[in-house]
Amino acid sequence: MSDPLSHPAPLPETAIHVEGLEKLYRRTLPGDRLRTLKSVLVEGSLTGNLRREDAIVALTGIDFTVARGEAFGVVGGNGSGKSTLLKLIAGMLKPTAGRITVSGRVAAMIELGAGFHPEISGRENVFINGAVLGLSKREIARRYDEIVEFSGLGGFMEEPVKNYSSGMYVRLGFAVAIHTDPDVLLVDEVLAVGDEAFAHRCIRRIEEFLAAGRTLLLVSHSLDLVAGLCDRVLWLENGKQRLIESPRRAIDAYRQEVAETEAEEHQAAKDQRDAAGDSAAAASTTASSGADRWGSREAEITAVRLLNAAGAEHYHLQSGEDATFEIEVRAAAALADFVFGIAIATPRGIEVWGTNTDLEGYVPASFAGAATVRLTCPALRLAAGEYTVDVAVHARDGAPYDYHRRALSFTVTAATARQGGVGVYVPEHRWGFTGDVRWTGEEI
């Protein structure tokens, strides 16, 4: 059987080809003995005779091709297999099944400090790292000054790298990798460790690298960085290939999935709060049920929901969608003085918007028994982000019957990829230009 990590010469236009890739890790169970070198040699590998049900499936069913000169991004949550994929392509790991074909010299920035010996100097590490990446000592010496200048570590090259900060590790590692003239550059999340100025320098160098017809495979949680640099994006989820598309389509789909997951978390948290509130109310109808809820309970809020345009309970909205805040409330005895209120805030407590029936001119007459109060916003134009909702029923002088802080939370995502700006409000708007004003890229 041929070695799945062999690098035969592929078609000239193909830089990376991954076919039927699978990576399994042996699951460690209570009572398992540490595997010895002898057992590995006898069985042939650490995963020898490994049954699938005894394994952790890090990756399975991965198939894609990256063209020469293409920037290919990989996104997904923690534990989705992104770093494992890069290590397999770099040759640091061996696949359990499938084939990886890579054309040309590969340089990898995968783990912070990978390839550096902590006890020796930065200068010595440059020569060792360059040799590992395939350069001769003469070639490294010729590029040494450029590497040091790019890293900005001229005053620290004789220091042992164990004294370097994480940012200095990244500076030196990227400087070495990019100056070895790789055909394929693999970059993991490590760029996020560097400072702002160095990150800009790296991005400029990557753009020059791509303009020269080289190939980039980038893993990052910075979706804006992936969208700005990459031509296509792979979305991994739980070790499986979910989608390969243009950056906008793939990232929008990923963000939508994340928002839906957050909405489910908001629902679960709300259910827990409701259950806790019911227990507290049963124990005492006159005392506060906690720091986030207080009042006399002459009227009590029994449920709070966020409804979408279809009337379904939902805790993920797109900016500008219809939304209805629904409150179920019960008065222990008939009331002639009452106000219903709702307020939206950020998780840090910054007020976004709030209103109540008194502010909007509703004069109370009577309220008895159970009632449902709905506040409908035909177009809730909040900016993308997380929000919390306070609800209350109180007297007109402000005396609380039941004030419930953070009664629910919800997520808002941008309606389109172009919806930008800062703040918490997104008014309907459009740009207009006269004169000789031109823009590059897609039409707006």
Side-chain angles (χ1 to χ4, degrees):
M1 180 181 292
S2 61
D3 182 355
L5 280 180
S6 62
H7 293 162
L11 295 173
E13 67 272 12
T14 300
I16 303 171
H17 180 68
V18 175
E19 181 180 358
L21 182 62
E22 182 173 82
K23 179 62 180 176
L24 305 181
Y25 289 102
R26 183 178 296 276
R27 188 183 297 277
T28 303
L29 301 174
D32 281 359
R33 294 182 304 166
L34 181 65
R35 309 202 74 219
T36 63
L37 176 60
K38 179 180 178 181
S39 67
V40 171
L41 293 174
V42 170
E43 295 182 8
S45 75
L46 283 167
T47 54
N49 301 322
L50 179 61
R51 298 181 303 171
R52 195 175 184 85
E53 56 269 27
D54 297 330
I56 297 171
V57 182
L59 289 169
T60 186
I62 309 299
D63 296 274
F64 64 87
T65 298
V66 181
R68 189 182 303 279
E70 184 178 11
F72 190 81
V74 183
V75 300
N78 290 329
S80 61
K82 304 184 302 297
S83 295
T84 299
L85 176 61
L86 256 66
K87 290 176 182 178
L88 287 163
I89 294 172
M92 297 169 66
L93 296 175
K94 183 177 180 180
T96 307
R99 177 176 293 275
I100 303 170
T101 306
V102 182
S103 175
R105 176 185 288 162
V106 178
M109 282 282 293
I110 293 179
E111 291 181 346
L112 190 62
F116 289 153
H117 193 295
E119 298 295 336
I120 63 177
S121 68
R123 178 181 57 79
E124 292 169 307
N125 269 293
V126 167
F127 280 86
I128 293 172
N129 227 256
V132 169
L133 292 172
L135 295 182
S136 67
K137 187 174 182 179
R138 181 176 296 177
E139 288 174 314
I140 301 168
R142 190 170 65 248
R143 304 175 194 193
Y144 180 78
D145 290 342
E146 294 177 14
I147 292 171
V148 174
E149 182 180 359
F150 186 90
S151 70
L153 299 176
F156 303 94
M157 295 305 293
E158 299 304 323
E159 291 292 323
V161 298
K162 68 180 181 181
N163 295 335
Y164 284 12
S165 68
S166 57
M168 293 167 74
Y169 266 111
V170 169
R171 283 172 172 264
L172 189 59
F174 188 87
V176 173
I178 202 70
H179 283 87
T180 56
D181 292 335
D183 299 296
V184 178
L185 180 62
L186 309 177
V187 181
D188 203 344
E189 196 63 53
V190 289
L191 281 184
V193 179
D195 59 55
E196 188 78 3
F198 186 73
H200 291 165
R201 194 184 311 169
C202 291
I203 291 170
R204 286 196 299 270
R205 193 56 183 262
I206 287 172
E207 288 172 343
E208 294 171 2
F209 174 83
L210 293 169
R214 311 290 176 82
T215 304
L216 171 71
L217 203 154
L218 172 68
V219 165
S220 180
H221 288 293
S222 174
L223 301 182
D224 291 337
L225 176 63
V226 173
L229 280 177
C230 297
D231 303 304
R232 287 187 303 146
V233 173
L234 163 65
W235 170 17
L236 289 177
E237 185 178 52
N238 297 324
K240 297 178 181 178
Q241 183 172 312
R242 182 72 182 267
L243 181 69
I244 297 179
E245 262 291 357
S246 66
R248 181 176 299 175
R249 287 179 179 271
I251 289 171
D252 282 354
Y254 174 54
R255 281 178 165 150
Q256 178 78 13
E257 180 78 7
V258 170
E260 292 293 341
T261 301
E262 290 173 343
E264 293 172 3
E265 292 171 354
H266 293 324
Q267 175 74 66
K270 174 185 171 296
D271 292 343
Q272 288 181 342
R273 286 194 298 268
D274 289 347
D278 290 343
S279 299
S284 173
T285 59
T286 59
S288 167
S289 64
D292 285 342
R293 194 170 184 180
W294 61 89
S296 68
R297 299 299 174 89
E298 293 172 71
E300 183 177 358
I301 296 166
T302 57
V304 185
R305 303 181 187 89
L306 177 62
L307 310 178
N308 61 16
E313 188 173 0
H314 203 52
Y315 296 90
H316 165 228
L317 301 171
Q318 285 193 341
S319 181
E321 280 189 334
D322 295 0
T324 298
F325 300 92
E326 182 179 84
I327 307 171
E328 291 185 10
V329 60
R330 177 181 293 275
L335 295 172
D337 181 8
F338 56 91
V339 177
F340 302 111
I342 290 177
I344 302 174
T346 69
R348 294 181 63 185
I350 299 171
E351 293 182 347
V352 175
W353 175 74
T355 190
N356 65 41
T357 52
D358 190 50
L359 290 173
E360 301 205 15
Y362 289 87
V363 179
S366 65
F367 166 37
T372 300
V373 179
R374 295 185 183 91
L375 175 65
T376 298
C377 302
L380 190 61
R381 295 190 175 279
L382 295 177
E386 298 287 312
Y387 297 91
T388 64
V389 177
D390 294 359
V391 294
V393 54
H394 56 81
R396 296 184 76 182
D397 65 3
Y401 300 142
D402 192 1
Y403 194 106
H404 195 168
R405 290 187 67 243
R406 301 176 184 266
L408 62 82
S409 53
F410 64 99
T411 301
V412 176
T413 52
T416 68
R418 290 190 181 279
Q419 183 174 300
V422 295
V424 294
Y425 171 56
V426 185
E428 188 171 355
H429 64 282
R430 60 180 176 272
W431 292 92
F433 308 95
T434 61
D436 189 10
V437 179
R438 303 178 185 182
W439 305 97
T440 59
E442 299 178 20
E443 293 184 2
I444 299 175

